Amino acid sequence: MTFIPYSCQDISEEDIDAVVAVLRSPFLTQGPMVPEFEERFSSMHRARHGIAVTNATAALHVACLALGAGPGMTVWTSPNSFVASANCARYCGAKIDFVDIDPVTRNMSVSHLTEKLEKAEKNGNLPGIVIPVDFSGFPCDMQEIRALANQYGFKILSDSSHAVGASYLGEPVGRMADISVFSFHPVKIITTGEGGICLTDNEMLAEKMRLIRSHGITRDPSAMSGELDGPWCYEQVTLGFNYRLTDIQAALGTSQIAGHDRRAATRSALATRYDRRLAGLPLKLPARSGDRASAHHLYVIEVDTVRGESKRLEVFESLRSENIGVNVHYIPIHLQPDYRRLGFAAGDFPASERYYKRALSIPLFATMSEDQQDRVIEALTRALN
């Protein structure tokens, strides 16, 4: 039996031609393709500025720095995410903490966030930045989170790495955040091989992020100090990093944008088909809501709790034995050894921990056939029975 991965890239001949064209061009990096990719992706999400970088972890790091993360600041995020959603604050010297999830959406819980903010205000330790995560491509409750940000004075950095093309209240995801970050890893909906982008409507934040991604260097004479020795001059005006995306990657990403609607429609149809075909099984299926549209990056089920984690392991091993690449997203960040050393422990965020013990990501990708999906459904049914 051929192997069915939980996800994989969808590369067309047009994508390959776009990359080859750059390889034959004068610019492999720092050429015209990165600005074109930034403009097209920004337009797709109705944002004024896009700052493309090497990966979404770098994007989160750059965004945290632009928002002022550093020693003395606390940043909150969701425990149900990849570690990068929390690591980015620690890179800046900020303190990290978590807000438990809503068991239905698996995203940051507004009620838990509200309660935690009320306590933090009394204790004088409000967060400077909150990082909600659009887990599996399902948008967070950003209207409520924005209202809380306005009330308590924190900035919102939306980790929308899973949510390319998702929408919330009729707008592209990320519109209510100060900065939103997307990922272009190969398993994501649009890929550049590796890559990420920061979107913002704030020109000052955009300029900060552009500086930080390229060594903190400017060639703009109006931003330099003193007299210039000549037109070759540049100045490092802040401490930055080499987080630049290449033109090769940007060409792939630009071509991928052109095929996004087709891939998104396929993902949506497959997710709906899963909803229908799995409805009678002892599973908890992904949330649906009339006010938002998921990007369907992942299709995560939760195995019935009758036998808890042991049953999830049985199902996982049964599907893997049939060459079906199921996976688990995610081990709660606060349970990782490096975070336990910071003082976090089991029981701190019970909703995230309960979800993790039942979670299983089953295959969903744009090139998946209905025959492959039927094979997954049949194998899952056998494993559960």
Side-chain angles (χ1 to χ4, degrees), residues 207 211 216-226 228 235-237:
E207 185 53 35
L211 280 171
I217 284 174
T218 182
R219 293 182 180 273
D220 179 2
S222 67
M224 298 186 199
S225 58
L228 306 184
E235 287 185 352
Q236 180 181 323
V237 295

Side-chain angles (χ1 to χ4, degrees), residues 97-144:
D97 202 354
F98 301 95
V99 179
D100 212 351
I101 63 169
D102 178 284
V104 175
T105 66
R106 302 147 175 178
N107 290 334
M108 183 179 287
S109 162
V110 171
S111 61
H112 285 308
L113 177 59
T114 302
E115 182 182 357
K116 197 176 182 86
L117 286 166
E118 290 170 352
K119 291 179 180 177
E121 186 175 43
K122 291 176 183 176
N123 297 330
N125 59 354
L126 283 166
I129 303 169
V130 172
I131 307 177
V133 178
D134 297 318
F135 175 71
S136 76
F138 191 79
C140 291
D141 297 315
M142 288 299 291
Q143 188 171 55
E144 293 85 351

Side-chain angles (χ1 to χ4, degrees), residues 1-215:
M1 284 186 291
T2 57
F3 180 70
I4 303 175
Y6 87 87
S7 188
C8 65
Q9 66 268 25
D10 175 15
I11 303 297
S12 69
E13 288 300 319
E14 290 79 8
D15 295 337
I16 294 169
D17 290 344
V19 170
V20 170
V22 169
L23 291 173
R24 297 183 188 280
S25 78
F27 294 99
L28 300 187
T29 190
Q30 294 179 271
M33 285 308 305
V34 170
E36 181 177 342
F37 175 60
E38 290 172 333
E39 192 281 326
R40 292 199 184 185
F41 193 84
S42 300
S43 296
M44 177 182 172
H45 290 85
R46 300 180 197 167
R48 289 182 61 198
H49 304 282
I51 299 87
V53 292
T54 50
N55 51 62
T57 301
L60 288 165
H61 185 197
V62 165
C64 276
L65 289 170
L67 292 170
M73 179 186 283
T74 301
V75 176
W76 294 355
T77 190
S78 169
N80 182 34
S81 186
F82 186 58
V83 292
S85 302
N87 289 348
C88 56
R90 296 175 62 197
Y91 297 155
C92 305
K95 181 181 177 182
I96 190 70
D97 202 354
F98 301 95
V99 179
D100 212 351
I101 63 169
D102 178 284
V104 175
T105 66
R106 302 147 175 178
N107 290 334
M108 183 179 287
S109 162
V110 171
S111 61
H112 285 308
L113 177 59
T114 302
E115 182 182 357
K116 197 176 182 86
L117 286 166
E118 290 170 352
K119 291 179 180 177
E121 186 175 43
K122 291 176 183 176
N123 297 330
N125 59 354
L126 283 166
I129 303 169
V130 172
I131 307 177
V133 178
D134 297 318
F135 175 71
S136 76
F138 191 79
C140 291
D141 297 315
M142 288 299 291
Q143 188 171 55
E144 293 85 351
I145 295 172
R146 170 47 67 190
L148 290 169
N150 294 342
Q151 179 179 350
Y152 289 98
F154 59 83
K155 300 295 185 184
I156 303 174
L157 168 52
S158 175
D159 186 344
S160 298
S161 294
H162 291 183
V164 171
S167 64
Y168 174 70
L169 299 178
E171 290 282 337
V173 74
R175 296 292 298 138
M176 294 185 183
D178 295 280
I179 300 172
S180 55
V181 163
F182 297 83
S183 171
F184 307 124
H185 183 274
V187 299
K188 298 301 194 299
I189 296 163
I190 285 174
T191 186
T192 58
E194 281 277 9
I197 198 167
C198 303
L199 299 186
T200 185
D201 286 340
N202 185 303
E203 190 166 351
M204 186 179 299
L205 289 176
E207 185 53 35
K208 283 183 181 179
M209 290 188 286
R210 289 188 186 104
L211 280 171
I212 294 166
R213 77 163 168 193
S214 190
H215 305 283

Side-chain angles (χ1 to χ4, degrees), residues 213-327:
R213 77 163 168 193
S214 190
H215 305 283
I217 284 174
T218 182
R219 293 182 180 273
D220 179 2
S222 67
M224 298 186 199
S225 58
E227 293 187 13
L228 306 184
D229 294 335
W232 60 84
C233 284
Y234 60 86
E235 287 185 352
Q236 180 181 323
V237 295
T238 191
L239 183 62
F241 303 86
N242 184 358
Y243 282 166
R244 294 189 300 258
L245 196 72
T246 69
D247 277 48
I248 301 167
Q249 294 166 295
L252 175 56
T254 303
S255 179
Q256 286 263 301
I257 290 172
H260 171 263
D261 288 348
R262 170 186 56 81
R263 289 191 301 273
T266 301
R267 283 179 177 272
S268 180
L270 289 168
T272 299
R273 195 167 184 264
Y274 267 143
D275 287 351
R276 186 174 66 252
R277 297 284 301 277
L278 300 179
L281 297 177
L283 299 170
K284 182 177 178 181
L285 304 182
R288 295 276 188 165
S289 177
D291 64 355
R292 68 202 75 185
S294 176
H296 302 293
H297 165 55
L298 300 172
Y299 194 93
V300 184
I301 59 174
E302 292 177 54
V303 178
D304 193 284
T305 57
V306 173
R307 284 190 285 164
E309 190 172 9
S310 63
K311 182 63 177 174
R312 190 265 305 269
L313 179 59
E314 288 176 24
V315 174
F316 181 96
E317 290 180 338
S318 177
L319 268 66
R320 281 291 180 101
S321 73
E322 297 198 42
N323 252 358
I324 295 170
V326 289
N327 211 332

Side-chain angles (χ1 to χ4, degrees), residues 347-384:
D348 285 350
F349 305 99
S352 296
E353 294 170 33
R354 282 193 300 271
Y355 157 77
Y356 163 63
K357 289 179 179 179
R358 301 167 56 185
L360 196 65
S361 299
I362 61 176
L364 178 67
F365 48 93
T367 57
M368 188 180 197
S369 68
E370 288 191 356
D371 285 345
Q372 287 176 312
Q373 189 178 37
D374 287 342
R375 196 175 124 201
V376 173
I377 294 165
E378 289 161 9
L380 179 58
T381 303
R382 285 193 294 274
L384 290 168

